[in-house]
């Protein structure tokens, strides 16, 4: 196992069905990152790097993206977007290393979840600082923080379904049928929200790319209008989706 091939690592690190995992696999992973990640995973396996340090590295790049984006300007937006791509690559690779080497652990799952929390929170706070236009407190920074709180609440609401079921002695896995709201009206609203994909605005990969677009528009206009509009939109989506997700959980059979 000291010099495995990329094909061997791909076979062991990416079991059948990994790209089809509901609510687990990002579209960018399915589209291109899972094709690239085995090359980095093979490098880590050959060096004998365990999965958890890779997860810490993932966190570092996620937080750095938020720090860099706060500096403003087009180039900082581009660098932050590249950092988020590295973050996604490492997010794929740490799990592949764990599966290939048989070193999956509860601690690894915990670190991975925390990594997503801190990275997406950092990016939104950094965006708020960017919209403020200077390194001082202000309304745009508060809006960025509000959006970050919305993201944290959505993730906490999702994770606490697992916690609640575990404490009640129920199995962790929830069927697709159980996730649907009992009310036909709420079920229709949930499908509409999913189709519109407004929640993707506050997810790191999509947001980092939209920040680049906003930076280009800002450069053309000579002000921060596009970035400020984006921060306001993220805060609105964060508030709306955290409330809607909370209602959706209680209105479904996920807690039964």
């Amino acid at each position: 196992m000291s010099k495995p091939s990329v094909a061997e690592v791909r076979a062991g690190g990416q079991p059948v069905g990994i790209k089809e995992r509901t609510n687990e696999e990002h579209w960018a992973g399915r589209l291109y990152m899972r094709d690239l990640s085995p090359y980095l995973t093979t490098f880590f396996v050959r060096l004998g790097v365990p999965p958890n340090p890779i997860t810490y590295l993932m966190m570092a790049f996620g937080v750095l993206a938020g720090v860099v984006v706060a500096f403003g300007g087009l180039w900082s937006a581009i660098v932050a977007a590249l950092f988020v791509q590295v973050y996604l690559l490492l997010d794929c690779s740490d799990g592949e290393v764990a599966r290939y080497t048989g070193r999956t652990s509860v601690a690894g799952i915990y670190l991975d979840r925390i990594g997503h929390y801190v990275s997406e929170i950092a990016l939104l706070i950094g965006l708020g600082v960017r919209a403020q236009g200077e390194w001082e407190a202000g309304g745009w920074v508060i809006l960025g923080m509000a959006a970050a709180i919305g993201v944290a609440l959505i993730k906490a609401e999702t994770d606490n379904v697992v916690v609640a079921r575990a404490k009640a002695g129920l199995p962790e896995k929830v069927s697709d049928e159980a996730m649907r709201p009992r009310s036909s009206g709420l079920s229709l609203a949930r499908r509409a929200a999913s189709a519109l994909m407004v929640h993707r605005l506050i997810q790191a990969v999509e947001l980092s790319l939209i920040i680049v677009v906003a930076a280009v528009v800002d450069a053309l206009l000579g002000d921060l209008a596009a970035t400020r509009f984006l921060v306001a939109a993220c805060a609105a989506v964060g508030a709306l989706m955290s409330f809607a997700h909370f209602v959706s959980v209680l209105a479904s059979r996920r807690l039964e």
Side-chain angles (χ1 to χ4, degrees), residues 200-222:
R200 293 199 180 277
L201 179 64
I202 51 177
Q203 294 181 346
V205 175
E206 292 86 343
L207 179 58
S208 68
L209 299 176
I210 297 171
I211 289 172
V212 174
V213 174
V216 171
V217 175
D218 286 345
L220 292 174
L221 297 177

Side-chain angles (χ1 to χ4, degrees), residues 7-150:
E8 290 171 331
V9 171
R10 188 189 303 275
Q14 294 185 9
V16 175
I18 191 169
K19 291 184 179 181
E20 288 73 39
R21 296 178 300 174
T22 304
N23 298 325
E24 291 286 338
E25 191 69 13
H26 194 275
W27 62 263
R30 290 190 292 269
L31 185 62
Y32 61 89
M33 200 58 82
R34 286 292 181 186
D35 295 327
L36 300 176
S37 58
Y39 294 94
L40 181 62
T41 301
T42 301
F43 173 75
F44 285 135
V45 169
R46 289 177 177 177
L47 287 180
V49 180
N52 286 357
I54 303 171
T55 307
Y56 284 120
L57 191 59
M58 177 198 83
M59 287 188 203
F61 271 96
V63 173
L64 276 174
V67 173
V68 169
V69 83
F71 283 91
L74 179 57
W75 283 107
S76 72
I78 293 172
V79 171
L82 291 174
F83 279 178
V84 170
Q85 291 298 309
V86 176
Y87 153 85
L88 178 60
L89 176 61
L90 292 166
D91 185 33
C92 291
S93 190
D94 62 357
E96 291 170 2
V97 169
R99 284 185 289 272
Y100 181 79
T101 61
R103 300 180 73 170
T104 56
S105 66
V106 175
I109 296 170
Y110 176 80
L111 287 174
D112 186 74
R113 298 300 302 170
I114 293 296
H116 291 300
Y117 272 71
V118 298
S119 298
E120 294 191 6
I121 287 170
L123 187 60
L124 284 161
I125 293 175
L127 178 61
V129 174
R130 180 187 186 88
Q132 190 66 32
E134 50 193 351
W135 289 85
E136 64 176 35
W140 297 107
V141 178
I142 293 171
L143 270 181
M145 294 175 70
I149 291 171

